Amino acid sequence: MESKVWVLGGTGRAGREVAAQLAERGVHPVLVGRNAARLTEVAARVPGATTVVAASADEMAERIRQARPDVVINTVGPFAETAPPLVRACLPTSHYVDLANDVEALSALLDLGEEAAAADRTLVSGAGFGVAATESVVVKLCEGRPPAAAVRVDMVPSLGMEEGKVGEALAATLVDGLASPGRGQGELAAARLGDELMTLTLPDGTQVKTASLPLGELVAAHRASGAQSVVSASSEAPTSPAVRAFLPLGVAVLRIQVVRTFAKRRLAQVRVKARERPREHSWGTRPGPMG
């Protein structure tokens, strides 16, 4: 297939995996990033891949306007900052997909639905596991029924990590998630991170603890269900009593914009060790009725 599919952030963990998956399906991706040498190195391992060098989201947007690719896949975070100029560049001619999983970025993109429809373009946010998995469960369970009174979604990912820096996209998702509301009450309203503690028994018989963590699943479940109250929870949320006791203070500090920006930058530079996936499967669930 010679359709033009651009992968922004083509040298990052997510970008490399997306490019490899596209190549397996016969699509020749265009890898876009800041480092020409690194792009060339990655492209050499992806059949049919070519490269475009762009130093910032604004420069990527300008290249998109010039080249008019069919599809743009954005893996460059923080998505609340990178998505707006890229979507504006895409709307006249290109479809857009990103891996955002924070409340701010997901909400902003979904609010552009009418503009996308008018341009006959498709915008997809939250294309990673969490939003897609939990939203699909909510959509299926709510199909053909009146709006739910209350919904809870639980994301239980089985995440492996390669050695390296956390990176801007993941750092922004984590920090913004900590500073965002954890429950939807009509409009999104504040709830304490780490509340709504629950122990789930997975289909394979293992048990895992989850607690409220306000990521993109909150927005997706709220819109998909029409429920007045939505809880977004995850096994990645802190569940130990000692940590949860200090969360209110930490969350309050992170809601100060300058502190949040600093925390993202520092976390993005932290190096992590390689980690194997803790279980065979990831799970996206909606536990039993909530009233």
Side-chain angles (χ1 to χ4, degrees), residues 18-74:
V18 168
Q21 292 289 334
L22 288 171
E24 284 187 13
R25 290 159 175 78
V27 178
H28 299 160
V30 178
L31 308 184
V32 185
R34 293 175 292 189
N35 188 313
R38 181 69 176 135
L39 282 170
T40 300
E41 178 186 338
V42 174
R45 302 195 297 268
V46 180
T50 55
T51 65
V52 169
V53 178
S56 66
D58 287 336
E59 188 173 339
M60 289 178 183
E62 184 57 34
R63 295 298 186 91
I64 290 167
R65 291 188 185 94
Q66 295 171 359
R68 300 187 174 189
D70 297 316
V71 180
V72 171
I73 302 173
N74 179 21

Side-chain angles (χ1 to χ4, degrees), residues 8 20 33 51-52 56 91 125 152 201 232 243:
L8 311 186
T51 65
V52 169
S56 66
L91 270 181
S125 191
R152 173 182 173 124
T201 300
S232 166
V243 174

